[in-house]
Amino acid sequence: MRAETVVGPTGPTSMPAGSRPLRVRVWPGLSERAALLGPGLPWPAPPAPGPDLEVPDPERLDPERLDLEALAELAEAAELRGRGGAGFPFAVKLRAVAEQAGRTGLAPVVVLNGEEGEPASAKDRVLMTLNPGLALEGLRLVAAALGAETSYAYVSDPAARERIAAAGAVWPGPGALRVVAAPSGYVSGEETAVVRWLDGGPAKPTHKPPRPYESGVAGRPTLVGNVETFAQLARLVRRRTEGDGLTVLLTVGTDRGEHVVVEVPDDRTLGDVLAWLRVDADEVLLGGFFGRFVSTGTRGRPLRELASRAHPDVLGCGIVLALHDTCPVSAVAQVLRYLDRENAEQCGPCFKGIPAMAGVADALAAGTAGAEDVQRLAGWGTSLRGRGDCGTLDAACGVVTSLLEQRADVVARHLEAPCGWCADHPERPEATAFAVPWPAEIKEER
Amino acid sequence: MRVQVDMTKCQAYGLCAEEAPEVFDLDEWGYPVLADDVVPAGQEPSVRRAVGACPAQAIKTTD
Ligand SMILES: Cc1cc2nc3c(=O)[nH]c(=O)nc-3n(C[C@H](O)[C@H](O)[C@H](O)COP(=O)(O)O)c2cc1C
Ligand code: SF4
């Protein structure tokens, strides 16, 4: 049963001349066969797990007659959480979609979200490029467990989409796989924007409730999951060596234009990763444009904990942005300007509030803001939270609050005069200065 | 009764705050802020009027 559609344009797969190499590194000692960014599993995977599989109950995890509860229990035991930013427990989402399908009698829809709208992230595109079959294997396991009739891969990057489409050409079911060209943009990967686009509308978020699990594509219960989340799930089901926990994909970048995508066991700490990569910046913004400046203690926490939201500094979609030179006040001003441009201009508190906050952040960087301006900024950082219909406004509030609370000393100094960095950069760079250059030539370092 | 405002639709007409000032507060840009999505007892009729008055049809209630 081959059913595969490519909707929309396919783009060039060859890299433009002069494109920079993007380094990819897997934690030393992580079994190659077990790594998401390794050579991967045969795709499509054989119908039943092979003899060397260490799965709790291989029969129940056979994709041909997959037991939903077995899959949920496996994800639960491994504490698998969404890797698209929100960190929501995967098992909870899986069961919610199944329950809704049972209640409504509608066959669910499963969506692989490969949009990766955050400019400072590249891990999803790297994963889709190196190991498209693993992401599709995860998608197929979920589709089989839920009894979905249609699965979608929603991917904006032309090269990554071509890799997914090529792997999808041997999609073994269940049902059809549709590989859809997504519009690129910061909000177009938000789950209700994804659903709206797949239903023929613009890729802009909608009001919640309903959330996609209640009513998604064509009104059906819909599970939208991040590429890495599906790949992690496939690896859990199909893992080859006993004792491998989950891993984490991170995009580590610096304000000096260095970028590397890494895969690390999730019991390692952020400090371990930075030391391994020899990144010694004092300032780290964790979680990208949704991020927070990490406190010293955070560096000693295992990534598993930072993925779980048990700690206020969260991994989000796995962006680690190390600032060697850039002043945090300027970084926040840059992020706010970016979010001002990239929000969907639907919710008033978002398209009024973000530029208002950006204005104060700009003045602060220029050394022209007063204490009352900072007070207003703090007020917005709290009062605007949750007032938009997607997380964009919350991202803006989050970086603002993090700056004011965690870097209060730096902020206070800017009330007197701009710091050296801010004085030297009166024309602040764009936040896209933190973007991973793409398309890039992927350079695997073993 | 519960009330919610679809912020993607709201155009800051402010009629909700005129019809039900106890329930809808307006922020500095004229967009409604709800203290609580549970409508205080006795406020149901004014909230219903607000639903009908909103030109953007952005207000929804559930029981
Ligand atoms: C503004 C905004 C942008 C988002 N962009 C993406 C994205 O590009 N890719 C992604 O996987 N999730 C993105 N998300 C998160 C999705 O809404 C959703 O939570 C996620 O795809 C669910 O998958 P997960 O549970 O596996 O993480 C975004 C969320 C927001 C609020
Ligand atoms: S919060 Fe902003 S980006 Fe999100 S839906 Fe509303 S206007 Fe759009």
Side-chain angles (χ1 to χ4, degrees):
Chain A
M1 183 188 7
R2 192 202 129 163
E4 187 268 313
T5 326
V6 180
V7 186
T10 52
T13 39
S14 58
M15 296 305 152
S19 73
R20 270 202 279 173
L22 173 63
R23 290 155 64 216
V24 173
R25 295 184 68 181
V26 174
W27 186 263
L30 190 66
S31 142
E32 253 207 13
R33 288 203 302 172
L36 299 192
L37 301 180
L41 301 157
W43 161 258
D52 58 342
L53 280 187
E54 299 287 340
V55 293
D57 195 346
E59 281 294 297
R60 292 173 74 206
L61 290 170
D62 178 348
E64 303 311 317
R65 43 201 150 82
L66 191 70
D67 180 318
L68 178 113
E69 230 354 83
L71 194 63
E73 280 165 23
L74 189 71
E76 199 164 42
E79 292 178 49
L80 177 63
R81 288 175 179 259
R83 297 292 171 84
F88 193 76
F90 183 81
V92 174
K93 182 147 74 175
L94 185 64
R95 290 191 180 114
V97 173
E99 267 168 39
Q100 187 68 9
R103 245 195 313 273
T104 59
L106 295 169
V109 170
V110 186
V111 184
L112 176 94
N113 187 356
E115 153 51 17
E116 195 165 45
E118 274 247 5
S121 178
K123 53 111 181 165
D124 291 340
R125 281 165 292 173
V126 165
L127 176 56
M128 287 185 280
T129 304
L130 293 182
N131 213 348
L134 192 65
L136 290 183
E137 174 68 9
L139 184 67
R140 157 171 129 87
L141 289 168
V142 174
L146 285 171
E149 283 161 13
T150 312
S151 302
Y152 289 91
Y154 175 90
V155 189
S156 65
D157 178 61
R161 189 168 64 246
E162 220 156 86
R163 294 282 295 158
I164 289 284
V170 289
W171 176 259
L177 170 69
R178 297 173 64 86
V179 181
V180 175
S184 68
Y186 188 74
V187 298
S188 58
E190 193 273 343
E191 58 183 11
T192 59
V194 174
V195 165
R196 208 167 162 192
W197 177 263
L198 294 177
D199 273 340
K204 290 186 175 199
T206 53
H207 178 69
K208 299 126 193 119
R211 294 199 164 268
Y213 83 88
E214 298 165 290
S215 174
V217 178
R220 293 172 181 275
T222 299
L223 188 146
V224 180
N226 172 261
V227 173
E228 184 192 344
T229 314
F230 282 114
Q232 292 284 1
L233 187 73
R235 180 177 167 278
L236 272 179
V237 173
R238 300 270 174 182
R239 73 183 177 190
R240 299 283 158 148
T241 45
E242 203 179 356
D244 281 330
L246 290 174
T247 62
V248 174
L249 298 187
L250 301 172
T251 311
V252 183
T254 74
D255 56 348
R256 295 178 181 168
E258 299 138 322
H259 301 275
V260 53
V261 170
V262 297
E263 180 170 7
V264 183
D266 74 350
D267 55 355
R268 294 291 152 173
T269 68
L270 183 59
D272 292 339
V273 176
L274 294 173
W276 171 49
L277 297 173
R278 296 174 202 277
V279 172
D280 61 356
D282 290 335
E283 197 63 89
V284 172
L285 187 64
L286 185 66
F289 296 176
F290 255 87
R292 281 169 59 92
F293 295 103
V294 302
S295 47
T296 325
T298 301
R299 294 187 184 223
R301 302 289 182 152
L303 298 170
R304 155 179 295 264
E305 219 176 284
L306 302 179
S308 79
R309 317 206 126 229
H311 193 272
D313 297 343
V314 293
L315 273 184
C317 62
I319 297 172
V320 180
L321 195 57
L323 303 178
H324 288 285
D325 312 308
T326 311
C327 165
V329 171
S330 176
V332 167
Q334 290 169 230
V335 167
L336 292 174
R337 284 282 168 228
Y338 174 85
L339 295 175
D340 181 26
R341 264 201 321 277
E342 286 286 321
N343 74 74
E345 296 197 341
Q346 298 188 118
C347 312
C350 181
F351 66 74
K352 297 284 191 192
I354 294 179
M357 290 192 283
V360 175
D362 276 334
L364 195 58
T368 59
E372 62 296 344
D373 297 316
V374 171
Q375 236 163 32
R376 273 193 307 149
L377 187 60
W380 286 324
T382 314
S383 67
L384 291 177
R385 213 173 268 260
R387 302 259 335 275
D389 259 319
C390 80
T392 303
L393 182 54
D394 298 344
C397 292
V399 286
V400 161
T401 305
S402 174
L403 176 72
L404 297 180
E405 286 178 358
Q406 292 168 284
R407 298 296 177 262
D409 50 338
V410 183
V411 171
R413 284 201 294 277
H414 281 75
L415 289 176
E416 310 294 327
C419 68
W421 197 91
C422 286
D424 289 345
H425 298 81
E427 298 287 321
R428 260 169 299 293
E430 294 284 325
T432 44
F434 306 133
V436 182
W438 194 271
E441 186 194 328
I442 294 174
K443 203 168 139 246
E444 293 175 77
E445 293 177 6
R446 300 274 167 212
Chain B
M1 182 196 255
R2 283 172 188 274
V3 62
Q4 42 171 309
V5 180
D6 183 335
M7 290 312 292
T8 69
K9 291 197 179 135
C10 172
Q11 303 289 326
Y13 288 103
L15 297 181
C16 52
E18 276 175 36
E19 296 291 351
E22 314 278 310
V23 176
F24 301 96
D25 204 5
L26 299 182
D27 70 12
E28 59 197 289
W29 300 288
Y31 294 95
V33 185
L34 290 169
D36 189 351
D37 65 345
V38 179
V39 176
Q43 288 294 322
E44 293 87 351
S46 64
V47 169
R48 274 189 210 103
R49 279 200 307 278
V51 171
C54 175
Q57 302 198 322
I59 309 169
K60 276 184 217 147
T61 56
T62 46
D63 293 325

